[in-house]
Amino acid sequence: MSIVPSDSTDNVESRNIATSAGQLIQVGVIHGGVSIHGSADLPAAAVRTLPGDIASFTGRHAEFERVLSDAFGSAVPGKVVKIIVIDGMAGVGKTAFAVHVAHQLAPRFPDGQIFLRLYGHTPGHQPADPSDALYTLLITMGVAPHKIPPGLDARAALWRDRSAHTRLLLLFDDATGSAQIRPLLPGGAGNLVLLTSRRRLSLLYDAMPITLGLLDSDEAETLFLQLAGLDARDDSVAGIVRSCGYLPLAISLMAGYLKHHQAWTPRHLLDELDAVTGGLEAMYAEDDSVATAFDLSYRELATDQRRMFRRLGLHPGGDFDVHAAAALGDLDTAATRRILDSLFSCHLVEEVTRGRYSFHDLIRAHARSLVQAEEPEGRKDAICRLLRYYLATADAADRHLARRSRNRDRDTGRLPTPLRRFTSRSEAVDWMTAERLNLQVMADHVAGHGLPGDTVSLVATMHGFLRVHGYWDQDIVLQNLAITEARKIGDRAGEANALHRLGEVQRLMGQFQASVASLHGALDLFHGLADTLGEADVLTDLGFVQRRTGEYPASAVSLKRALELYRELGDEHGEASALNYLGDVQRLTGDYRAAMAGQAQALALFRALGDRIGEANVLTSQGEALRVLGDYEAASTILNKALTLFCDLGNRHGEANALNYLGDVQRLLGDHPAAMTSQTRALALYRELGNRHGEANALNYLGEVQRLIGEHEAAAACQAQSLRLHRESSNRHGQTRTLISLGELALDSGDPAGARERFQESLGIAHAIAAQHEEAESWAGLGRCASDTTSAAAALRQALDIYRRISSPRAQALAEELSGS
């Protein structure tokens, strides 16, 4: 390199000139200009331009490990440029995370760490043109301005050349899309590109995406405390970060707000947030706000995308599918799917499971504020379309799920053609499972907006699914809502049906007294309406509850009357249900022949109707009858068939019942490990369902197995809990069964006096409810624990007389025992 005077006469002060090769030349006072022959490039002005790291940076440990893995632990080194795209919703902390990561990785990139803002979402700035961005990069690399070519392609080529042999960390912040980024990619594999964007840049095929989610609750509280200058966590801090949706931007703004309001406590701030609907309006500081951050994403959407985004904010539930979105947007599903994918790409909606989307709470609040401001007249129509969609689709699903052909209170003539159809029961179950919470929220929403008739109809469509699949708490809430709404408009039929459904679920949950009250209310209404089918249905359930509470004569009367009405109406489904339940009463009162004959008829009817749940219910009842009759192998076979059917149908209540009876049969067959497994599973299911009657039975049967394997303390605890539950629900039959088991346990434990007390109490209850089998077992127990042979023989003869009267197989064994003594 040589330095010679130029033609210029300008004076140049003594200065240092750094060449592009890194040489330093001392220049004295020169008269005239200076020409530098060799490289005419300017020096690299600044190649370490990262913003400062954030002292309060919190969390993101897993994401940082992902960056390390993607940058240095995957792919073949030296072959391709490593690109890591950090994407996420507005305000989630993408830039802060990227800067933090860049500072941690800086020592690995000695040639520089360059930060370049691309202004994808910056108020007052247009997104950076790739050509202008390349100009900045080339200047940074020391290329003289007059050496930078004008065209995008030429600049990109020169940039790739200058970065071909470097080890740079490049942080491109806030990109709008892949087209903006592609020309900026360096030419050498030793470089690392960190890239932030609100979009999912799926066209950068070689890039590794890392999507930043929300902070967890602990991280969110830690960040708030650090930024607010606080030490102690309390419920107010937890409430604040929850109101902020665990979004770092919102947390930062609120922490700063509290820090500058020194007279405030966290409780004051939480009250302020609670006072503002959604809290979004309160989340601002100076010229920055969460709403502004969201609005920048919204404003770049196309017109149809904006409209869909606004209307999705009207959805009252937690998530939604493409069909619900199509109803709100008044579009076909194909167009809706394209728009949802665009919103997903921009992180304005998230895909929680395949085909189902949700909003962040604050983004939903922003969408609702936009729809109120921009299309106030269209809100009611959009909600009505959504309601019609849910009504029609729930009705279509219920046709596959309800055991009866129709619900009488459903006005199907008002329903539109459903946007989706179901070709199988499993499809209907899947849809109802996904939508059940949305349907409840929708029912609450329309009830609160003066549409009681629609509330009653929507609740009616949900009952079949909720009942069969064990969502009984939800069903009770909904049926009470339907009763209230039906009364508002004087809909006596709707009220009667909702009362009947309520009584049915209360019965399943072991709330027998409440169930009887609801069913009598429904019965009175149906009688006043001259609704014979309604009366028969209620009488069937009433007979079931009366059986549960040990009122066998009353139960038989109710069920026989229901059976007459069904036969008059030609309703074979109702006839089958009444026959099955009546068979249970007959079995419990010792009329085994009538029970088996009636349930055989019920089984044939259910099979002819294709009602697999009804079929499984009858099989369970027949299995229990065979157990009582002592045919344990046959009982095991038939109960396993019932169990398979219930499992195939996803009927957890039926599954629990079949397991409960099967476990007791396995105990009687001597297979104690299998019995323990069955009873433990049944107990867990009953508890999940909230079925206290089933729980009590399972506890008693489990205690029986524990007694036989010598775990007397565990058995006593289980059976004491069983007795308490039966007494709480006034289930007298359950009480006598458990008392007999406790008497057996006392005998095994060497406590004949305690056993005698239990058997005496059981005998009194069994005699009062005409439970002849339990009465006989109580007498047999008293015989075994009697203090003298005369008393023992007298008690055993009482048992033998009853066993013979009811044709029990235990009669022969007891007769042999008496003759031997």
Side-chain angles (χ1 to χ4, degrees):
M1 173 178 290
S2 61
I3 302 177
V4 297
S6 71
D7 295 336
S8 172
T9 58
D10 294 339
N11 293 329
V12 179
E13 298 295 331
S14 176
R15 66 188 68 186
N16 296 333
I17 299 177
T19 70
S20 61
Q23 298 167 314
L24 186 66
I25 303 170
Q26 180 69 40
V27 181
V29 177
I30 301 176
H31 298 284
V34 178
S35 295
I36 303 176
H37 297 280
S39 175
D41 293 347
L42 293 176
V47 290
R48 288 171 177 80
T49 60
L50 292 177
D53 202 356
I54 300 173
S56 60
F57 189 86
T58 302
R60 307 297 193 193
H61 305 295
E63 291 89 344
F64 181 68
E65 292 302 319
R66 273 282 315 277
V67 171
L68 288 180
S69 174
D70 291 343
F72 305 108
S74 61
V76 180
K79 298 294 183 182
V80 294
V81 175
K82 285 297 181 76
I83 309 165
I84 298 175
V85 179
I86 301 162
D87 60 53
M89 64 181 285
V92 81
K94 299 179 293 296
T95 300
F97 174 69
V99 169
H100 180 70
V101 167
H103 278 285
Q104 305 305 307
L105 301 183
R108 300 175 183 244
F109 298 94
D111 292 332
Q113 306 90 43
I114 299 173
F115 178 87
L116 182 62
R117 194 181 302 278
L118 299 177
Y119 298 109
H121 305 87
T122 305
H125 287 268
Q126 291 295 318
D129 184 274
S131 182
D132 294 338
L134 283 166
Y135 184 92
T136 300
L137 288 171
L138 289 167
I139 287 289
T140 301
M141 291 296 289
V143 179
H146 68 277
K147 292 288 188 178
I148 298 175
L152 174 64
D153 290 343
R155 288 181 177 181
L158 182 57
W159 163 241
R160 289 193 296 273
D161 176 72
R162 288 307 173 104
S163 59
H165 302 292
T166 58
R167 294 186 63 193
L168 294 168
L169 188 155
L170 301 161
L171 174 46
F172 298 147
D173 184 51
D174 196 16
T176 59
S178 300
Q180 186 188 36
I181 290 299
R182 221 176 271 112
L184 311 184
L185 297 178
N191 302 302
L192 172 66
V193 176
L194 295 178
L195 171 63
T196 71
S197 180
R198 294 188 186 184
R199 291 179 176 271
R200 302 175 193 273
L201 305 185
S202 55
L203 291 179
L204 288 178
Y205 303 117
D206 291 329
M208 298 288 189
I210 293 180
T211 298
L212 287 192
L214 303 169
L215 297 175
D216 65 34
S217 57
D218 285 341
E219 292 171 344
E221 290 182 42
T222 298
L223 177 62
F224 181 85
L225 292 169
Q226 288 179 347
L227 293 174
L230 301 174
D231 296 323
R233 298 182 185 222
D234 59 25
D235 291 342
S236 298
V237 172
I240 290 167
V241 298
R242 186 167 54 250
S243 294
C244 291
Y246 307 105
L247 186 69
L249 173 60
I251 293 168
S252 301
L253 291 173
M254 291 300 90
Y257 193 87
L258 181 62
K259 192 172 186 178
H260 287 276
H261 285 73
Q262 297 184 4
W264 286 35
T265 66
R267 169 53 59 183
H268 293 139
L269 178 58
L270 181 58
D271 291 343
E272 187 80 4
L273 290 172
D274 289 343
V276 180
T277 304
L280 190 62
E281 295 176 19
M283 296 176 185
Y284 66 90
E286 298 185 30
D287 295 329
D288 199 5
S289 74
V290 176
T292 298
F294 293 160
D295 207 50
L296 290 166
S297 294
Y298 169 73
R299 295 299 167 189
E300 71 176 10
L301 299 174
T303 301
D304 58 344
Q305 295 168 350
R306 290 185 190 181
R307 182 172 57 250
M308 178 62 76
F309 174 76
R310 294 192 302 266
R311 292 182 180 178
L312 288 174
L314 295 170
H315 194 290
D319 59 6
F320 50 85
D321 66 3
V322 65
H323 297 91
L328 282 168
D330 200 15
L331 296 170
D332 61 50
T333 53
T336 302
R337 191 170 281 108
R338 287 193 296 272
I339 292 174
L340 285 174
D341 194 54
S342 298
L343 297 177
F344 171 73
S345 295
C346 298
H347 285 283
L348 288 171
V349 299
E350 298 300 320
E351 191 173 21
V352 289
T353 59
R354 184 176 180 272
R356 296 197 69 81
Y357 301 85
S358 71
F359 274 128
H360 183 275
D361 288 346
L362 296 179
I363 291 183
R364 179 186 289 106
H366 187 56
R368 287 177 179 170
S369 68
L370 288 169
V371 76
Q372 290 171 4
E374 297 187 24
E375 47 178 329
E377 300 303 320
R379 288 182 297 161
K380 184 176 180 180
D381 288 343
I383 285 290
C384 283
R385 286 193 302 271
L386 182 65
L387 172 61
R388 294 289 169 247
Y389 159 70
Y390 276 132
L391 273 170
T393 312
D395 182 76
D398 191 48
R399 292 172 187 271
H400 289 271
L401 302 175
R403 295 184 58 204
R404 302 301 295 270
S405 59
R406 302 296 318 135
N407 284 330
R408 288 176 301 278
D409 56 343
R410 213 180 295 170
D411 182 3
T412 55
R414 296 184 296 113
L415 301 180
T417 302
L419 287 175
R420 62 176 303 166
R421 300 179 183 277
F422 305 100
T423 59
S424 67
R425 186 180 188 280
S426 62
E427 286 183 7
V429 167
D430 289 345
W431 185 83
M432 276 287 196
T433 301
E435 296 289 356
R436 70 178 181 88
L437 296 179
N438 281 337
L439 292 170
Q440 179 172 357
V441 172
M442 198 73 204
D444 288 333
H445 182 83
V446 296
H449 287 75
L451 297 169
D454 288 322
T455 305
V456 173
S457 295
L458 188 56
V459 170
T461 64
M462 299 173 64
H463 172 69
F465 169 78
L466 296 175
R467 180 196 181 282
V468 168
H469 291 270
Y471 298 108
W472 297 337
D473 287 334
Q474 183 182 2
D475 205 3
I476 282 182
V477 169
L478 284 166
Q479 299 312 325
N480 277 307
L481 176 65
I483 291 165
T484 300
E485 295 302 297
R487 287 172 178 167
K488 286 180 181 178
I489 55 176
D491 180 3
R492 296 173 68 205
E495 181 185 354
N497 279 298
L499 276 167
H500 179 202
R501 293 190 298 264
L502 177 62
E504 185 182 15
V505 181
Q506 288 168 328
R507 182 257 295 173
L508 289 168
M509 297 184 74
Q511 300 170 8
F512 298 135
Q513 292 179 344
S515 176
V516 168
S518 298
L519 292 172
H520 275 298
L523 191 61
D524 291 343
L525 283 167
F526 282 131
H527 184 73
L529 293 165
D531 186 337
T532 305
L533 179 58
E535 284 190 70
D537 285 348
V538 175
L539 284 166
T540 302
D541 276 309
L542 185 60
F544 194 108
V545 178
Q546 289 164 333
R547 171 172 72 81
R548 286 290 194 217
T549 56
E551 300 172 70
Y552 298 143
S555 177
V557 169
S558 296
L559 291 167
K560 286 176 181 177
R561 178 56 182 156
L563 186 59
E564 291 173 2
L565 293 175
Y566 285 132
R567 284 173 172 166
E568 288 175 9
L569 293 166
D571 188 323
E572 292 184 332
H573 188 281
E575 179 183 355
S577 294
L579 282 167
N580 186 35
Y581 294 161
L582 183 59
D584 285 335
V585 176
Q586 292 164 332
R587 168 177 55 81
L588 290 167
T589 54
D591 193 351
Y592 298 119
R593 183 175 298 177
M596 295 297 284
Q599 288 177 331
Q601 291 179 51
L603 184 62
L605 285 169
F606 279 133
R607 283 176 172 167
L609 292 166
D611 186 342
R612 298 174 70 205
I613 291 178
E615 178 185 351
N617 282 331
V618 177
L619 289 172
T620 303
S621 296
Q622 289 180 327
E624 173 63 358
L626 289 167
R627 180 193 70 84
V628 174
L629 290 169
D631 193 346
Y632 304 143
E633 293 291 350
S636 176
T637 299
I638 204 167
L639 286 169
N640 271 301
K641 288 181 180 178
L643 179 61
T644 300
L645 272 173
F646 283 129
C647 291
D648 288 346
L649 294 166
N651 188 323
R652 295 190 297 159
H653 178 237
E655 180 186 351
N657 287 338
L659 282 166
N660 200 23
Y661 293 134
L662 179 61
D664 199 45
V665 170
Q666 290 164 332
R667 170 184 69 85
L668 292 166
L669 287 167
D671 190 350
H672 297 153
M676 285 288 288
T677 299
S678 296
Q679 298 297 355
T680 302
R681 175 60 181 154
L683 180 61
L685 281 169
Y686 284 132
R687 283 174 169 167
E688 288 173 16
L689 294 166
N691 185 341
R692 293 167 69 81
H693 167 77
E695 179 183 354
N697 283 337
L699 283 165
N700 184 40
Y701 285 147
L702 184 59
E704 286 282 339
V705 183
Q706 291 167 330
R707 174 178 66 84
L708 291 172
I709 62 177
E711 297 179 0
H712 287 187
E713 287 187 12
C718 281
Q719 289 173 339
Q721 189 177 357
S722 170
L723 185 60
R724 177 180 60 80
L725 289 171
H726 281 314
R727 283 175 170 161
E728 287 175 357
S729 64
S730 303
N731 183 347
R732 291 188 291 170
H733 183 266
Q735 290 175 48
T736 189
R737 286 297 325 154
T738 304
L739 284 165
I740 291 169
S741 297
L742 284 166
E744 299 287 353
L745 178 61
L747 274 177
D748 282 6
S749 303
D751 181 13
R756 188 178 305 112
E757 182 181 347
R758 295 301 192 184
F759 287 130
Q760 284 284 7
E761 186 178 358
S762 170
L763 178 62
I765 298 172
H767 182 73
I769 65 175
Q772 296 189 70
H773 181 80
E774 283 70 28
E775 187 176 354
E777 290 203 344
S778 299
W779 277 118
L782 285 169
R784 290 194 299 277
C785 64
S787 57
D788 60 84
T789 56
T790 301
S791 298
L796 291 173
R797 286 192 185 93
Q798 289 279 6
L800 179 60
D801 288 344
I802 298 172
Y803 281 139
R804 283 173 172 167
R805 187 163 64 244
I806 63 177
S807 303
S808 171
R810 302 189 69 171
Q812 183 177 354
L814 186 55
E816 292 173 356
E817 182 181 340
L818 279 168
S819 63
S821 63

